[in-house]
Amino acid sequence: MQTLAHFGDGGPGPWILLFPVFWALVIGGGIALLRRTVWRSSRGPGPGRPTVEDNSPITVLGHRFASGEIDEDEYWRRLSVLDEQFGHPTKNTPR
């Protein structure tokens, strides 16, 4: 280690090896920040986020319920029928 940094001759010493580690952390942190913010929005939904089309029957049903066109009982009844048809069980639907 002393021959690498010329520590005995008044050189910078072994701590000079921390500069590459510092820059690797800065670059890695920048990439991680970009992946969490900018690049994620351009790729669409991330893992674990369900993708539902805007014109899917379940989405239309949700919009109708939110706007007050149908009541809660009708919403759950129709949702259970759609779940059986499309194979997406809800939490309240017993199987």
Side-chain angles (χ1 to χ4, degrees):
M1 192 68 119
Q2 290 179 351
T3 57
L4 177 64
H6 303 290
F7 184 70
D9 297 332
W15 60 270
I16 190 96
L17 299 175
L18 291 178
F19 283 115
V21 173
F22 170 75
W23 285 111
L25 289 174
V26 168
I27 292 170
I31 291 173
L33 182 67
L34 286 173
R35 287 188 68 193
R36 289 184 147 278
T37 57
V38 178
W39 293 340
R40 177 172 289 191
S41 63
S42 65
R43 287 188 317 209
R49 296 181 187 162
T51 57
V52 178
E53 297 176 12
D54 287 337
N55 58 357
S56 72
I58 295 176
T59 304
V60 171
L61 182 64
H63 287 297
R64 289 186 64 198
F65 176 64
S67 67
E69 291 181 37
I70 58 175
D71 62 351
E72 186 177 0
D73 292 333
E74 186 175 354
Y75 170 77
W76 286 113
R77 189 180 75 243
R78 290 183 182 206
L79 185 62
S80 66
V81 171
L82 289 173
D83 283 341
E84 288 176 7
Q85 182 180 359
F86 293 108
H88 299 290
T90 61
K91 294 177 186 176
N92 297 336
T93 305
R95 292 271 173 182

